[in-house]
Amino acid sequence: MRDPLSKKIVQVQPSGIRKFFDVAAEMDDVISLGVGEPDFDTPWRIREEGIFSLERGRTFYTSNAGLQELRDEICKYLERKIHVSYDPKKETMVTVGGSEAIDVALRCMLDPGDEVLIPQPSYVSYLPCTVMADGVPVIVELKHENEFKLTVEDLESKISERTKILVMPFPNNPTGSIMTKEDLEPIAEFVKTHDLYVLSDEIYSELSYKGEHVSIASLPGMRDRTIVINGFSKGFAMTGWRLGYCCGPEVILKQMIKLHQFAIMCAPTNSQYAAVEGLRSCEDEVAEMRKSYNQRRRFLMHEFARMGLECFEPFGAFYVFPSIREFGMSSEEFAERLLMEEKVAVVPGTAFGACGEGFLRISYAYSLEDLKVALGRLGHFIERLRNER
Ligand SMILES: Cc1ncc(COP(=O)(O)O)c(C=O)c1O
């Protein structure tokens, strides 16, 4: 029989995040700080609206781009939060998570050979989605000494005639790094000078612990060069509802809606009704969750300082990214030993790109109780390693 597979998909590596959790799932008494999803239940009002929409028999397709009511609320929300206006009819699409928006945007914007600048460490889907869209991923290494922020210097040596898109993955998974307005300004100038487009993944925008999240789309001249991707998974604790959205210039959104129509039809209907309620009335619940994450973040930073574990202070998402370079082993080896010897599961930094070597991603989307136990075990482990030397 002939090979049933495309060469493209075969060359794509599976995500390095899951691998560890399959092992951890088989063990007893493991505390996982590995998963990147909120430990909170979806706010009750949202769940109630989801149930209510089912009771009322709202079980049909919505329009391809999403419920108009939801698109209206999304645009009001973005106007409020990032101060950018979008047309809810022509510049907004509701998607199956931020994940679908990333995939569809790349597939609609790339021709074969077009290059995509992907800062790493970063979320695992940008690279495979670029490859599957016939684009060429060009990795831009974010540096620890810059607190994993993106700088123009990082970009300068990576630009070419074929560069078309810059991915902006902030607030960042896995580092927790954020970009302030001052950090974004030179990047925006670079983008305009080189006539690039930006795919701005702002899925963690609600989880910023140092002032308001700033979108690159809000900078002068950037709105029409940027696709803003966001969703309900992280800020509204709605991962399983599979709901995200994207906004951008009509010329791009029109094509994205066409592809989404053929590939997906529409995002889940009852999730869309529920999300309308989320945007209208759950600001307090979201703020409460943010407060709780911030408390945990500060606890972790305090504990790392006590253990003498090097970690820059991250102000976004729900991850910290400590350095384990002093122990002279790879991230994978460290994470594996931590799991086997202390039953704590974390993700090696290399799961997010080769430049994550020497770091671990620790998620604080877990209760303080669990974090305390896990950090106690991590403390023992580190002490033992230091004594071994
Ligand atoms: C940076 C980033 N972008 C996008 C996603 C996808 O989220 P979803 O498809 O649930 O909206 C994730 C999920 O972990 C993420 O960390």
Side-chain angles (χ1 to χ4, degrees):
M1 279 202 307
R2 63 202 281 194
D3 187 347
L5 301 171
S6 80
K7 293 185 180 55
K8 277 192 300 189
I9 191 61
V10 172
Q11 83 174 70
V12 166
Q13 296 298 311
S15 163
I17 304 180
R18 288 282 143 211
K19 197 169 77 183
F20 254 77
F21 295 100
D22 294 345
V23 180
E26 306 274 292
M27 294 167 66
D28 290 330
D29 192 31
V30 170
I31 297 192
S32 167
L33 304 184
V35 177
E37 77 177 320
D39 59 318
F40 296 103
D41 291 332
T42 304
W44 172 241
R45 267 190 275 206
I46 299 177
R47 283 185 277 156
E48 200 174 29
E49 197 55 36
I51 294 165
F52 192 45
S53 78
L54 292 176
E55 280 177 354
R56 278 187 290 185
R58 291 176 164 167
T59 53
F60 302 94
Y61 296 132
T62 65
S63 86
N64 296 125
L67 272 182
Q68 192 56 55
E69 215 180 338
L70 177 57
R71 283 183 280 151
D72 290 344
E73 288 303 326
I74 288 169
C75 291
K76 283 189 225 161
Y77 170 86
L78 290 181
E79 175 92 56
R80 228 170 35 239
K81 296 281 177 175
I82 61 169
H83 319 295
V84 184
S85 302
Y86 292 103
D87 182 336
K89 287 201 163 67
K90 296 180 178 158
E91 296 182 314
T92 308
M93 174 166 78
V94 181
T95 55
V96 180
S99 306
E100 187 214 332
I102 295 167
D103 181 34
V104 170
L106 291 167
R107 285 201 279 152
C108 288
M109 294 174 73
L110 296 174
D111 280 317
D114 283 345
E115 294 177 7
V116 180
L117 298 172
I118 304 178
Q120 282 188 344
S122 64
Y123 183 52
V124 291
S125 85
Y126 312 126
L127 192 147
C129 287
T130 298
V131 170
M132 294 310 290
D134 283 330
V136 178
V138 175
I139 304 307
V140 180
E141 288 189 17
L142 300 172
K143 299 191 185 73
H144 185 223
E145 62 265 30
N146 296 333
E147 302 195 335
F148 295 104
K149 289 169 189 274
L150 180 65
T151 68
V152 167
E153 292 70 56
D154 298 331
L155 291 172
E156 242 142 23
S157 61
K158 303 290 180 172
I159 192 93
S160 85
E161 287 293 301
R162 295 305 308 263
T163 312
K164 184 161 189 193
I165 298 179
L166 166 64
V167 174
M168 283 298 284
F170 298 97
N172 184 275
N173 170 12
T175 65
S177 182
I178 60 169
M179 295 280 283
T180 63
K181 183 163 179 280
E182 290 68 36
D183 298 326
L184 289 171
E185 275 164 351
I187 305 291
E189 287 314 309
F190 182 89
V191 165
K192 287 185 278 185
T193 305
H194 294 279
D195 195 15
L196 307 180
Y197 288 90
V198 174
L199 192 71
S200 186
D201 181 354
E202 302 178 20
I203 197 94
Y204 292 98
S205 62
E206 282 289 354
L207 305 178
S208 181
Y209 312 105
K210 198 181 184 187
E212 215 178 44
H213 163 73
V214 183
S215 170
I216 194 164
S218 69
L219 270 54
M222 289 304 293
R223 180 199 179 281
D224 290 341
R225 292 186 174 275
T226 306
I227 300 290
V228 170
I229 291 172
N230 208 324
F232 297 88
S233 289
K234 313 293 175 170
F236 290 80
M238 290 178 70
T239 46
W241 298 76
R242 306 309 305 126
L243 206 65
Y245 54 88
C246 52
C247 291
E250 182 186 349
V251 61
I252 306 174
L253 260 286
K254 192 173 169 192
Q255 302 304 325
M256 288 178 67
I257 293 168
K258 185 167 75 184
L259 178 54
H260 166 85
Q261 172 184 354
F262 288 131
I264 303 287
M265 188 68 89
C266 70
T269 298
N270 76 308
S271 303
Q272 294 193 54
Y273 280 103
V276 170
E277 185 61 22
L279 291 176
R280 281 190 185 149
S281 63
C282 289
E283 186 111 25
D284 290 349
E285 283 89 339
V286 170
E288 228 11 79
M289 290 190 270
R290 177 168 49 241
K291 200 167 134 194
S292 177
Y293 290 130
N294 195 22
Q295 196 184 13
R296 303 167 190 185
R297 183 185 70 88
R298 288 165 58 181
F299 167 73
L300 286 183
M301 291 314 296
H302 181 266
E303 286 302 293
F304 289 162
R306 214 173 46 80
M307 290 175 200
L309 192 62
E310 188 189 357
C311 186
F312 83 98
E313 184 170 2
F315 290 103
F318 37 56
Y319 308 104
V320 287
F321 205 59
S323 164
I324 45 110
R325 289 188 288 206
E326 67 164 298
F327 302 104
M329 56 174 106
S330 71
S331 301
E332 180 120 7
E333 198 182 342
F334 189 101
E336 216 166 289
R337 279 191 60 184
L338 182 63
L339 178 60
M340 295 306 169
E341 295 174 31
E342 293 289 342
K343 299 193 172 179
V344 176
V346 298
V347 184
T350 41
F352 307 94
C355 54
E357 184 56 275
F359 297 88
L360 300 176
R361 184 189 80 171
I362 295 184
S363 162
Y364 51 89
Y366 293 92
S367 69
L368 257 186
E369 292 68 44
D370 276 355
L371 289 174
K372 280 180 186 160
V373 177
L375 269 276
R377 293 183 188 181
L378 176 66
H380 286 148
F381 184 60
I382 284 176
E383 218 172 277
R384 204 162 55 245
L385 293 180
R386 286 187 179 135
N387 289 336
E388 273 173 18
R389 277 188 286 173

